[in-house]
Amino acid sequence: MGNVAQGFRDYFCRPKNTNMRISLPAVCFIWQIAMIVLFGVFIRYDEESDTHWVEHRREENITSDAENDFYFRYPSFQDVHVMIFVGFGFLMTFLKRYSFGAVGFNFLVAAFGIQWALLMQGWFHHLDLETGKISIGIESLINADFCVAGCLIAYGAVLGKVSPVQLLVLTLFGVTLFAVEEYIILTLIHARDAGGSMVIHTFGGYYGLAISWVLYRPNLHQSKRLNGSVYHSDVFAMIGTLFLWMFWPSFNGAITDHGDGQHRAAINTYLGLASTVLTTYAISSLSAKRGHLDMVHIQNATLAGGVAMGTAAEFMIQPYGSLIVGFCCGILSTLGYLVFTPFMEKHLKIQDTCGVHNLHAMPGVIGGVVGAITAAAATVDVYGKEGLINTFDFEGDFVNRTVGNQGAHQAAGVCVAIVFGIGGGAIVGTILRFPIWGDPEDDNCFDDEVYWELPEDEESIPPILEYNNHMTSKHPDMSESNFSVEQS
Amino acid sequence: MGNVAQGFRDYFCRPKNTNMRISLPAVCFIWQIAMIVLFGVFIRYDEESDTHWVEHRREENITSDAENDFYFRYPSFQDVHVMIFVGFGFLMTFLKRYSFGAVGFNFLVAAFGIQWALLMQGWFHHLDLETGKISIGIESLINADFCVAGCLIAYGAVLGKVSPVQLLVLTLFGVTLFAVEEYIILTLIHARDAGGSMVIHTFGGYYGLAISWVLYRPNLHQSKRLNGSVYHSDVFAMIGTLFLWMFWPSFNGAITDHGDGQHRAAINTYLGLASTVLTTYAISSLSAKRGHLDMVHIQNATLAGGVAMGTAAEFMIQPYGSLIVGFCCGILSTLGYLVFTPFMEKHLKIQDTCGVHNLHAMPGVIGGVVGAITAAAATVDVYGKEGLINTFDFEGDFVNRTVGNQGAHQAAGVCVAIVFGIGGGAIVGTILRFPIWGDPEDDNCFDDEVYWELPEDEESIPPILEYNNHMTSKHPDMSESNFSVEQS
Amino acid sequence: MGNVAQGFRDYFCRPKNTNMRISLPAVCFIWQIAMIVLFGVFIRYDEESDTHWVEHRREENITSDAENDFYFRYPSFQDVHVMIFVGFGFLMTFLKRYSFGAVGFNFLVAAFGIQWALLMQGWFHHLDLETGKISIGIESLINADFCVAGCLIAYGAVLGKVSPVQLLVLTLFGVTLFAVEEYIILTLIHARDAGGSMVIHTFGGYYGLAISWVLYRPNLHQSKRLNGSVYHSDVFAMIGTLFLWMFWPSFNGAITDHGDGQHRAAINTYLGLASTVLTTYAISSLSAKRGHLDMVHIQNATLAGGVAMGTAAEFMIQPYGSLIVGFCCGILSTLGYLVFTPFMEKHLKIQDTCGVHNLHAMPGVIGGVVGAITAAAATVDVYGKEGLINTFDFEGDFVNRTVGNQGAHQAAGVCVAIVFGIGGGAIVGTILRFPIWGDPEDDNCFDDEVYWELPEDEESIPPILEYNNHMTSKHPDMSESNFSVEQS
């Protein structure tokens, strides 16, 4: 299989053109117009966001506007929204010269993805076959944000090595695969996955890793000078880390059951994350000379507990259970950065810029397994009769499902997510190898200069003469922008 | 009219004194004491925030504390609050040496403005003529934040060119004008404007532009070296952009009707903004060599869709309608930055630092027009009988108003906002031209050094000798601060 | 007493070893495992977060899931969570080379502290003596965040001068002391303190100051070069300031009564903070040459009004009362930075890095006194009969307490907080003086290099030769990291 990939690689090795003046606007316009047409044909407000709500309320004997789903979910929705745009965006600003690309392409991809997700998820879950319309409400927006999260995770694996057009293609297919995979896991298999350990993180992580494997760049070391952080870019990244960390309880509880479901999901996630922080710091310190802490671990591994609580957050895993899950994930995720990421790069030819394997793929699988075990271990004694039915949705076709059976189906869900991630990523990666997408050269990765107008560097202004003398020989493209400073 | 303005200009051309050691403290103290006195005379808690709520609840047969307006609006309020202080504040940090002024003066102006707004809006809308008291609750706080937003928009047009005392004067008059204009548009004309396309953005934008026109600085090019960004200041500005973008659904839905009103406003704004992002990236890329993206566009034009959804967000514009509005605004706003801002500066003598015309004034007008059209096109079929009445508040004096009539009144609202903005701005601008306010010289604009104690520059420490040799000739004021470093 | 402290100081003066490769991981692992065990023994979900909620709801005749406490408190909880992790964390990033330590150790300490706080506060307040279990829900999470806030305040006083292990010890004891003090003030004395002016800020401030006093470093001036900000670190700190400022209404209202209690707390805090901003700017400008504003004041003193409203926020202090409190606190807090902090360092031998005395300790005491006065001045006329009982919880054992009596008990609460802060801090400080904790040398404070892997400095790359010539003589440890740049 390595040979096949190598074959593809050689075949596609041509000089690259990163000019995207035609391709990016064309893709944006075509897709946005397509979205408008499809929304016009398919998408309408649901009964809680339609002006007919006042009538619906009376008919259904709903006593208060506070019963509108909006008030149960909007605060969580806004937290999730912050995680998607500020959390993921800033988490990836850690590279010294790719902060524009990190936060800017994250923005573009997410804004496109949520529209496509509303359609794809709508077709699978909310299509009224009589009217041919999809009804959307606040829960749809949360699910669209969730869906995009899968693609943004994949972006983390290829950060700095792809063009924005490639990212949009990655997102188009990613969202499509996500919707299918989600339908299989949640509806057909009837697994529970409130915070998406399987559906979002496992899928998104392996999707990105598979793409990165197909897009392997043997000469990436030529961009090594830019594949690292500077002091302030690491502080920027902490903004992303903290907003992800703080709002993860909202993420895992955003679409769980009203009442105790959301309440319990928040508590479990809060505890899982707290525990992860301590073991992450411990392993990070243990692994370095003089016990120095490494910002890469702090920025990423501290979040693994939230990923791993994604499935079981709504279950009665108990507070200490959440702590144990976080405990293990902090250790494993940090060890992943120390051991597994270099191993993958060297031996598996997978270049994982942000280490999404350690932050999403592996903790996602752990979360799926924890969910399966917790489900299988559920008892009427702990959950109560009604509680058990509510939590696992043992209704309709699934009224006779046992908890053991449910556990097995949860485990099956993990496998589906992995298969969709790796399989989908391999196919999409192959598509992304066509030399038409404008990705950067191996010596030009992790560099905003390829796709962005950059401001002149403040720090470079003062000592102009020395600066130029040394720069011209070393960094020809930068001295150019400097000339304009002198002349202006 | 240009001659008149020029006459004013010459008349007031005297050497400037930026010392504000007396003026700023004096203004702050006098105004804050005035606020305390006026609050003491006029402002009290409303029945939902008073300890008598428990009795009120029983009398009105309210079944639950969850019916307190606080729980319907507080999450949105906090999002709006973040937009005002972090959103607007950080959006303006993009200048390389005006980040303190951007975020710091924004803070000062907003903190003063919200107090004055509670009074002004209270007198117009919530004054109990019997007791002579104004009752305030959570909705008052949101409206105060909204009111201040208008002044912060105006600040964007004059960013870097005015003193903090001028900003406080701008805010005092701005809030006053806002309250009058709002009363005319919302109460007398009875236009709907939940997210303030007209009331906030159109007014605020033109108010700032008119002030900037009166304060035109022909020699502003002398500060050109500082009128631009550096890499990290652009990343800081993205914090502002993203918090504005993410929380705009809360902004447009914060004071709409409970239930479906808030729900629908959030959905429409979410979609409008998503669409704007794609067309902004498209036009930005299309306009530059090699398709390079420009951070100025990404930071600003991506928000135009939220502005333009301000009026129609609570209407049944349908999801695809929101996408279309966002689509157009992304294009027009980005073109504004490319074409209209330079044109305004050259031919209209309007120096618009942040491009508020493209982000607020123009999209605000579009939003008002979209609102008028959507209102005029409303039907009982789409809204339902009750829904139509609720949405457009066809009650009391307005029970017989038709949707066509409503559309015309909406359009009238746009005109009122423009007139108040331009007229008010021209007058206030003239006041601000008096040479007593401590504004900076033309060669000293966009520079925090005028009003702030600045830390020594870390980056300047290392190569002290070379640095100084070159700096002394070029940047006399900076070398001074450097001397202290050597001596310390 | 100074002699005793000096004696301790001499006794413990040995060369320091900042290697924490064993100690930090050991402490993290041991404590996290202890947490898991204790949580396993003691902590369970409460009835609102347990799957039995559906039965409980029916039994108690609760009409709606919206009555679950989760929906009353979760939005405020998330705001408080942001204040703890982003607010406190980023507020302390102002130092030029201690941003990693500020935001990173804040993260570690808070994540550990919330777990220990759930246990400590649980034992005191929520232990079911029959089952031996503690039930936790959303209010417990808020209280845990509050408890940790006290320790993070203390961190502010010793920022840059202690090791992470010391911080964990400080937190372990701090949380313990907090829980006892809180039990005495809120339960035994039955004082009201919704936003923790006494319980959190007074205690936390004096706790930190007392520790800093015991850990006095006579030669701290050797680290003077790093005890200051740079331009961008001040902008980072403003992120912390603003999130604290914006969300303080949530902080003070997070655990007040449902309905009018939360509503009123938000209004009062909003107004108190707005007023503080104006007087802070006034005093800052008044105190400097040419009226220049000082970022230290803007970042910190603007928050004093929120601290001082912590006790009275839920009382009927009236809007103008809140403005007056904010007015005074802005003045006093800024004067504290100008006058008292230098005085404390010189004459009291207390080195208070962040000025927590001016931001927390003193405004906390003011808040406690304001609370006492407001309580003593309460009348049935203003509060209503039921309102008075609800607000001051005059139920059970306290049914006969008068408002005057309550005022006296509030004042007693302030004293308890001060005594616990100073006494506890002196003891814990002494423990922290043992030369085994890995704190930095006097010439190595405020430096991330001691505990963190630092990235090479981007700005140092270009003019390599000049840079090195000057650096080697001046900054030996930095030139080392520079060598690796040249070689790589």
Side-chain angles (χ1 to χ4, degrees):
Chain A
M1 193 144 175
N3 273 341
V4 178
Q6 187 59 44
F8 272 111
R9 264 167 228 142
D10 294 341
Y11 179 76
F12 286 117
C13 255
R14 296 206 243 146
K16 296 181 180 196
N17 175 7
T18 61
N19 190 332
M20 48 171 204
R21 192 168 179 179
I22 303 305
S23 56
L24 182 62
V27 169
C28 285
F29 273 122
I30 291 167
W31 287 1
Q32 190 56 56
I33 290 168
M35 289 300 112
I36 290 172
V37 172
L38 290 169
F39 269 61
V41 175
F42 287 105
I43 303 234
R44 295 295 179 272
Y45 306 116
D46 71 5
E47 58 204 5
E48 298 190 293
S49 55
D50 191 285
T51 44
H52 290 89
W53 156 254
V54 60
E55 297 162 21
H56 175 76
R57 218 191 106 173
R58 203 167 37 232
E59 281 160 26
E60 302 280 321
N61 221 353
I62 294 165
T63 55
S64 158
D65 277 329
E67 294 288 301
N68 193 306
D69 196 36
F70 181 78
Y71 300 104
F72 289 98
R73 307 218 181 272
Y74 191 68
S76 298
F77 159 68
Q78 276 294 8
D79 293 348
V80 171
H81 217 41
V82 171
M83 293 173 73
I84 300 298
F85 289 89
V86 162
F88 282 109
F90 273 84
L91 185 61
M92 300 191 285
T93 57
F94 73 99
L95 289 173
K96 65 181 79 166
R97 280 284 139 172
Y98 207 71
S99 300
F100 287 11
V103 77
F105 295 153
N106 183 81
F107 193 15
L108 172 64
V109 158
F112 165 67
I114 52 181
Q115 298 178 56
W116 181 230
L118 282 171
L119 283 162
M120 282 302 301
Q121 295 182 315
W123 283 320
F124 275 108
H125 294 288
H126 300 293
L127 188 64
D128 182 327
L129 292 175
E130 271 182 49
T131 61
K133 302 296 181 199
I134 298 163
S135 296
I136 62 168
I138 188 69
E139 197 171 334
S140 316
L141 305 191
I142 297 171
N143 275 313
D145 273 24
F146 277 3
C147 184
V148 160
C151 299
L152 298 179
I153 291 165
Y155 179 26
V158 297
L159 182 74
K161 301 177 292 182
V162 293
S163 74
V165 177
Q166 282 179 307
L167 282 175
L168 287 169
V169 174
L170 176 155
T171 305
L172 181 72
F173 287 108
V175 168
T176 311
L177 288 162
F178 183 99
V180 177
E181 166 236 28
E182 184 193 39
Y183 180 73
I184 294 172
I185 295 175
L186 300 189
T187 306
L188 301 187
I189 296 181
H190 195 72
R192 303 288 291 171
D193 195 16
S197 288
M198 304 180 273
V199 170
I200 300 169
H201 297 286
T202 303
F203 166 75
Y206 285 110
Y207 182 59
L209 291 168
I211 291 173
S212 194
W213 173 73
V214 180
L215 298 182
Y216 180 68
R217 291 169 178 266
N219 299 315
L220 189 61
H221 58 84
Q222 291 171 2
S223 293
K224 199 181 161 190
R225 74 192 182 286
L226 293 171
N227 190 3
S229 63
V230 290
Y231 194 71
H232 280 161
S233 73
D234 267 330
V235 182
F236 277 118
M238 281 305 289
I239 297 174
T241 300
L242 287 175
F243 275 102
L244 287 169
W245 194 91
M246 295 180 303
F247 287 164
W248 217 293
S250 297
F251 193 92
N252 285 349
I255 57 167
T256 51
D257 291 338
H258 292 179
D260 63 292
Q262 293 197 280
H263 203 149
R264 193 167 52 254
I267 294 172
N268 286 332
T269 311
Y270 174 95
L271 292 173
L273 285 164
S275 177
T276 305
V277 172
L278 267 86
T279 50
T280 298
Y281 275 76
I283 300 293
S284 182
S285 176
L286 199 58
S287 67
K289 198 178 47 151
R290 301 187 53 74
H292 281 188
L293 295 161
D294 189 329
M295 262 292 169
V296 171
H297 308 152
I298 308 308
Q299 285 159 7
N300 294 282
T302 50
L303 301 167
V307 173
M309 288 308 297
T311 301
E314 59 178 332
F315 300 161
M316 294 287 284
I317 191 172
Q318 295 302 347
Y320 70 89
S322 305
L323 291 183
I324 292 171
V325 172
F327 187 91
C328 300
C329 283
I331 296 172
L332 288 172
S333 182
T334 314
L335 286 176
Y337 281 95
L338 288 163
V339 178
F340 201 67
T341 300
F343 174 86
M344 283 206 308
E345 174 147 8
K346 201 166 169 195
H347 299 288
L348 305 182
K349 298 194 184 302
I350 299 175
Q351 292 152 331
D352 180 3
T353 312
C354 294
V356 303
H357 182 270
N358 316 306
L359 172 49
H360 295 284
M362 182 187 56
V365 172
I366 293 172
V369 172
V370 168
I373 295 169
T374 318
T379 62
V380 175
D381 196 41
V382 171
Y383 284 73
K385 193 150 178 297
E386 282 176 275
L388 198 65
I389 293 170
N390 287 344
T391 306
F392 295 102
D393 240 347
F394 287 157
E395 290 168 335
D397 294 348
F398 307 97
V399 72
N400 292 320
R401 188 178 274 191
T402 63
V403 292
N405 204 334
Q406 178 67 23
H409 282 82
Q410 295 283 140
V414 182
C415 302
V416 172
I418 294 173
V419 168
F420 263 81
I422 294 178
I427 295 166
V428 174
T430 308
I431 295 168
L432 293 180
R433 280 190 65 79
F434 285 95
I436 57 173
W437 305 114
D439 53 319
E441 292 282 354
D442 287 349
D443 59 351
N444 231 353
C445 288
F446 315 119
D447 196 345
D448 275 333
E449 223 158 7
V450 182
Y451 301 115
W452 296 85
E453 294 284 324
L454 289 192
E456 31 131 333
D457 223 357
E458 180 188 33
E459 285 75 20
S460 69
I461 302 173
I464 288 180
L465 293 179
E466 277 72 16
Y467 180 70
N468 268 358
N469 290 345
H470 296 284
M471 288 303 293
T472 37
S473 53
K474 189 169 166 280
H475 230 233
D477 44 80
M478 280 193 71
S479 66
E480 198 185 311
S481 73
N482 211 52
F483 264 116
S484 65
V485 178
E486 287 186 295
Q487 287 159 358
S488 68
Chain B
M1 192 144 174
N3 272 341
V4 178
Q6 186 59 43
F8 273 111
R9 265 167 227 141
D10 295 341
Y11 180 78
F12 286 118
C13 254
R14 297 205 243 148
K16 295 179 181 198
N17 175 6
T18 61
N19 189 332
M20 46 171 205
R21 191 168 178 181
I22 305 303
S23 56
L24 183 62
V27 170
C28 286
F29 274 123
I30 291 168
W31 287 1
Q32 190 56 56
I33 290 168
M35 289 301 112
I36 291 173
V37 172
L38 290 168
F39 269 61
V41 175
F42 287 105
I43 303 233
R44 295 295 179 273
Y45 306 117
D46 70 4
E47 57 204 2
E48 298 189 293
S49 54
D50 192 285
T51 43
H52 290 88
W53 156 255
V54 59
E55 297 163 22
H56 175 77
R57 219 191 105 174
R58 200 167 40 232
E59 280 160 27
E60 303 279 322
N61 222 353
I62 294 165
T63 54
S64 158
D65 276 329
E67 294 287 302
N68 192 306
D69 196 36
F70 181 79
Y71 299 104
F72 289 98
R73 308 219 180 271
Y74 191 68
S76 298
F77 159 69
Q78 275 296 8
D79 293 348
V80 171
H81 218 41
V82 171
M83 293 173 73
I84 299 299
F85 289 88
V86 161
F88 282 108
F90 272 85
L91 184 61
M92 300 191 285
T93 56
F94 72 99
L95 289 173
K96 67 182 78 166
R97 279 285 139 171
Y98 208 70
S99 300
F100 287 12
V103 77
F105 295 153
N106 183 82
F107 193 16
L108 173 64
V109 158
F112 165 66
I114 52 180
Q115 298 178 56
W116 181 232
L118 282 171
L119 283 162
M120 282 301 302
Q121 294 182 315
W123 283 321
F124 275 109
H125 294 287
H126 300 293
L127 187 64
D128 183 326
L129 292 174
E130 270 182 50
T131 61
K133 303 297 181 199
I134 297 163
S135 296
I136 61 168
I138 188 70
E139 196 171 336
S140 316
L141 306 192
I142 297 172
N143 275 312
D145 273 23
F146 277 5
C147 184
V148 160
C151 299
L152 298 180
I153 291 165
Y155 179 26
V158 296
L159 182 74
K161 301 176 293 183
V162 293
S163 74
V165 177
Q166 281 178 309
L167 282 175
L168 287 170
V169 174
L170 176 155
T171 305
L172 181 72
F173 287 108
V175 168
T176 311
L177 289 161
F178 183 100
V180 177
E181 166 237 27
E182 184 192 39
Y183 181 71
I184 294 173
I185 295 175
L186 299 189
T187 305
L188 300 186
I189 296 180
H190 195 73
R192 303 287 292 172
D193 196 17
S197 288
M198 304 180 273
V199 170
I200 300 168
H201 297 287
T202 303
F203 166 75
Y206 284 110
Y207 181 60
L209 291 168
I211 291 173
S212 194
W213 173 73
V214 180
L215 298 181
Y216 180 69
R217 291 170 177 266
N219 299 315
L220 189 61
H221 58 84
Q222 291 170 3
S223 293
K224 200 181 160 189
R225 73 191 183 287
L226 292 171
N227 190 1
S229 64
V230 290
Y231 193 72
H232 280 162
S233 73
D234 268 328
V235 182
F236 277 119
M238 281 304 290
I239 297 174
T241 299
L242 288 174
F243 275 102
L244 287 169
W245 194 91
M246 296 180 303
F247 287 164
W248 219 293
S250 297
F251 193 91
N252 285 349
I255 56 166
T256 52
D257 290 339
H258 292 179
D260 63 292
Q262 294 197 280
H263 203 150
R264 191 166 54 254
I267 294 173
N268 286 331
T269 311
Y270 175 95
L271 292 173
L273 284 164
S275 177
T276 305
V277 173
L278 266 87
T279 51
T280 297
Y281 275 76
I283 300 293
S284 182
S285 176
L286 199 58
S287 66
K289 200 178 46 152
R290 301 188 55 74
H292 281 188
L293 295 162
D294 189 329
M295 260 292 167
V296 172
H297 308 151
I298 308 309
Q299 284 160 7
N300 293 281
T302 49
L303 301 167
V307 173
M309 288 308 296
T311 301
E314 59 178 332
F315 300 162
M316 294 286 285
I317 192 172
Q318 296 300 348
Y320 69 89
S322 305
L323 291 183
I324 292 171
V325 172
F327 187 91
C328 300
C329 283
I331 297 172
L332 288 173
S333 182
T334 314
L335 287 176
Y337 281 95
L338 288 163
V339 178
F340 201 68
T341 298
F343 174 86
M344 282 206 308
E345 174 147 8
K346 201 167 167 196
H347 298 290
L348 305 183
K349 297 193 183 303
I350 299 175
Q351 291 153 332
D352 180 4
T353 313
C354 294
V356 301
H357 182 270
N358 316 306
L359 171 49
H360 295 284
M362 184 186 57
V365 172
I366 293 172
V369 172
V370 167
I373 295 169
T374 318
T379 61
V380 175
D381 197 41
V382 170
Y383 284 74
K385 193 150 176 299
E386 282 176 275
L388 198 65
I389 293 169
N390 288 344
T391 305
F392 295 102
D393 238 348
F394 288 156
E395 290 168 335
D397 293 348
F398 307 97
V399 72
N400 292 320
R401 188 178 274 190
T402 63
V403 290
N405 204 334
Q406 178 68 23
H409 281 81
Q410 296 281 142
V414 182
C415 302
V416 172
I418 295 174
V419 168
F420 262 81
I422 295 178
I427 295 165
V428 174
T430 308
I431 294 168
L432 294 180
R433 281 189 64 77
F434 285 95
I436 56 173
W437 305 115
D439 52 319
E441 293 283 355
D442 288 348
D443 59 352
N444 230 351
C445 289
F446 316 119
D447 196 345
D448 274 334
E449 223 159 6
V450 181
Y451 302 115
W452 295 85
E453 295 283 324
L454 290 191
E456 30 129 336
D457 224 357
E458 180 187 33
E459 286 75 20
S460 71
I461 301 173
I464 286 180
L465 292 178
E466 277 72 16
Y467 181 69
N468 268 358
N469 290 345
H470 296 284
M471 289 302 293
T472 37
S473 53
K474 191 171 165 280
H475 230 231
D477 44 79
M478 280 193 67
S479 65
E480 199 185 311
S481 74
N482 211 53
F483 264 116
S484 66
V485 178
E486 289 186 293
Q487 288 158 357
S488 69
Chain C
M1 193 144 174
N3 272 342
V4 177
Q6 187 58 43
F8 272 111
R9 263 167 230 142
D10 295 342
Y11 179 79
F12 286 119
C13 254
R14 298 204 241 147
K16 294 179 180 199
N17 175 7
T18 61
N19 190 332
M20 46 172 206
R21 192 168 179 181
I22 303 305
S23 56
L24 183 61
V27 170
C28 286
F29 274 122
I30 290 168
W31 288 1
Q32 190 55 57
I33 290 167
M35 290 299 113
I36 291 173
V37 172
L38 290 168
F39 269 61
V41 175
F42 287 105
I43 303 234
R44 295 296 179 271
Y45 306 115
D46 70 5
E47 58 204 3
E48 298 189 293
S49 55
D50 191 286
T51 43
H52 289 90
W53 156 255
V54 59
E55 297 162 22
H56 174 76
R57 219 190 105 174
R58 201 168 37 232
E59 281 160 26
E60 303 280 321
N61 220 355
I62 294 165
T63 55
S64 158
D65 277 328
E67 295 286 303
N68 192 306
D69 196 36
F70 181 78
Y71 299 103
F72 289 97
R73 307 217 181 273
Y74 192 68
S76 298
F77 159 68
Q78 276 295 8
D79 293 348
V80 171
H81 218 40
V82 171
M83 292 173 73
I84 299 299
F85 289 88
V86 162
F88 282 108
F90 273 85
L91 185 61
M92 300 191 284
T93 56
F94 72 99
L95 289 173
K96 66 182 79 167
R97 279 284 139 173
Y98 208 71
S99 300
F100 287 12
V103 76
F105 295 153
N106 183 82
F107 193 16
L108 172 64
V109 159
F112 164 67
I114 53 180
Q115 298 177 55
W116 180 231
L118 283 171
L119 283 163
M120 281 302 301
Q121 295 183 314
W123 283 320
F124 275 108
H125 295 287
H126 300 292
L127 187 64
D128 183 327
L129 292 175
E130 270 181 50
T131 62
K133 303 294 181 198
I134 298 163
S135 297
I136 61 168
I138 187 70
E139 196 170 335
S140 317
L141 305 192
I142 297 171
N143 275 313
D145 273 23
F146 277 4
C147 184
V148 160
C151 299
L152 299 179
I153 290 165
Y155 179 26
V158 297
L159 182 74
K161 302 176 292 182
V162 293
S163 75
V165 177
Q166 281 179 308
L167 283 175
L168 287 169
V169 174
L170 176 156
T171 305
L172 181 72
F173 287 108
V175 168
T176 311
L177 288 162
F178 183 100
V180 177
E181 166 237 27
E182 184 192 40
Y183 180 73
I184 295 172
I185 296 176
L186 300 188
T187 305
L188 300 186
I189 297 181
H190 195 71
R192 302 288 292 173
D193 196 16
S197 288
M198 305 179 274
V199 170
I200 300 168
H201 298 286
T202 302
F203 166 75
Y206 285 109
Y207 182 59
L209 291 168
I211 291 173
S212 194
W213 173 73
V214 180
L215 298 182
Y216 180 69
R217 292 170 176 264
N219 299 315
L220 190 60
H221 58 84
Q222 291 171 3
S223 292
K224 200 181 159 189
R225 74 193 183 286
L226 292 171
N227 189 2
S229 64
V230 289
Y231 194 72
H232 280 163
S233 73
D234 268 329
V235 183
F236 277 119
M238 281 305 289
I239 297 174
T241 299
L242 288 174
F243 275 102
L244 286 170
W245 195 91
M246 296 180 304
F247 288 164
W248 217 294
S250 297
F251 193 91
N252 285 349
I255 57 166
T256 52
D257 290 340
H258 292 180
D260 63 292
Q262 292 197 282
H263 203 152
R264 192 167 52 255
I267 294 173
N268 286 331
T269 311
Y270 174 94
L271 292 173
L273 285 163
S275 177
T276 304
V277 173
L278 267 87
T279 50
T280 298
Y281 275 76
I283 300 293
S284 182
S285 177
L286 199 59
S287 67
K289 201 178 46 151
R290 301 187 55 74
H292 280 187
L293 295 162
D294 189 328
M295 262 292 169
V296 171
H297 308 152
I298 308 308
Q299 285 160 6
N300 294 282
T302 50
L303 301 167
V307 173
M309 288 307 297
T311 301
E314 60 178 333
F315 300 161
M316 294 287 284
I317 192 172
Q318 295 301 348
Y320 70 90
S322 306
L323 291 184
I324 293 171
V325 172
F327 187 91
C328 300
C329 284
I331 296 172
L332 289 172
S333 183
T334 314
L335 287 176
Y337 281 95
L338 288 163
V339 178
F340 201 67
T341 299
F343 175 86
M344 282 204 308
E345 173 147 8
K346 203 166 166 197
H347 299 289
L348 305 183
K349 298 195 182 303
I350 300 175
Q351 291 153 332
D352 179 4
T353 313
C354 294
V356 301
H357 182 270
N358 317 305
L359 171 49
H360 295 283
M362 183 187 54
V365 172
I366 294 172
V369 172
V370 168
I373 295 170
T374 318
T379 61
V380 174
D381 197 41
V382 170
Y383 284 74
K385 193 151 176 298
E386 282 176 276
L388 198 64
I389 292 169
N390 288 343
T391 306
F392 296 102
D393 239 348
F394 289 157
E395 290 169 334
D397 294 348
F398 306 96
V399 71
N400 291 319
R401 188 179 275 191
T402 63
V403 292
N405 204 333
Q406 178 68 24
H409 281 82
Q410 296 282 142
V414 181
C415 301
V416 172
I418 294 173
V419 168
F420 263 81
I422 295 178
I427 295 166
V428 174
T430 308
I431 294 169
L432 295 180
R433 280 189 66 78
F434 285 95
I436 56 172
W437 304 115
D439 53 320
E441 292 282 354
D442 288 349
D443 59 351
N444 229 353
C445 288
F446 315 119
D447 196 345
D448 275 333
E449 222 157 8
V450 182
Y451 301 116
W452 295 85
E453 294 284 322
L454 291 190
E456 30 130 334
D457 224 356
E458 179 188 33
E459 286 75 21
S460 71
I461 301 173
I464 287 180
L465 293 179
E466 278 72 16
Y467 180 70
N468 267 359
N469 290 345
H470 297 283
M471 289 303 293
T472 37
S473 53
K474 192 170 162 283
H475 230 231
D477 45 80
M478 281 194 68
S479 65
E480 197 185 310
S481 73
N482 211 52
F483 266 116
S484 65
V485 179
E486 288 186 294
Q487 286 159 357
S488 69

